[in-house]
Amino acid sequence: MSQLLDAIEIETRPNPQWAVIWMHGLGADGNDFVSIVPELGLDEAAVRFVFPHAPMIPVTCNNGYVMRAWYDILELDSISRRVDEAGIRQNRSAIQALIERENQRGIPSERIILAGFSQGGAMAYSVGLTHPDRLAGIIALSTYIPSQSLLDNESSPANRATPVFAAHGIQDPIVPYALGEAAAKQVSTGGHPTEWHSYRMPHSVCMEEIVAIGLWLKARMAVTN
């Protein structure tokens, strides 16, 4: 198993039967989405939320400043990103190690959901669509697919129809709305049951979105039970 990432863990009830591994955005940390757990309405479900901290690395597009990041962004413009695929692969292994730990703690992969915001959502796509064992779902918020070649070469048959919840703010100045919409369209066209939401917000989350995520999570858990 790869070296485990430091992470914050929250359990909604004792003896969790489900796990949600939730990756933060560029420059944030695992605390970023802890506060939404009570807002998801999952009080009746036994869920372990795992909020890992990304490693500290220099980020080229931010003048080489060292910050928490899942991979280096080498170049960006209004409609595209050029990223360090080796960094994606390295932290894919680190997230897969968290999945393996949940397996060892009694939660099978088909009861694990990967979630992420912005760069964390890009990792949710990258890990979830290539993971060798079937997962319960992918939540991709205000994000994009960072490496098409990774998916072209390593897409997993086990996750060819994994459900996806994707959402984006139509006023997002950081990750263009068109990138999020294109990613959602791609996974939907590829056969993933995809629920797409747009909100009148910038690069953030809103309460309406959190409520929708909670409903989607409850539906996934009911379907698999």
Side-chain angles (χ1 to χ4, degrees), residues 100-155:
E100 183 179 343
R101 180 175 65 172
E102 293 309 310
N103 297 159
Q104 293 175 349
R105 294 199 282 193
I107 301 178
S109 295
E110 59 265 24
R111 286 177 174 261
I112 296 175
I113 291 166
L114 297 183
F117 174 81
S118 194
Q119 199 185 59
M123 289 303 298
Y125 272 139
S126 298
V127 180
L129 298 176
T130 63
H131 191 64
D133 301 316
R134 183 168 65 89
L135 298 167
I138 297 168
I139 298 173
L141 308 177
S142 301
T143 192
Y144 58 100
I145 291 174
S147 173
Q148 186 60 49
S149 64
L150 183 70
L151 300 189
D152 289 343
N153 295 325
E154 301 183 30
S155 289

Side-chain angles (χ1 to χ4, degrees), residues 53-65:
H53 305 298
M56 299 287 290
I57 64 169
V59 177
T60 302
C61 72
N62 284 344
N63 298 314
Y65 291 157

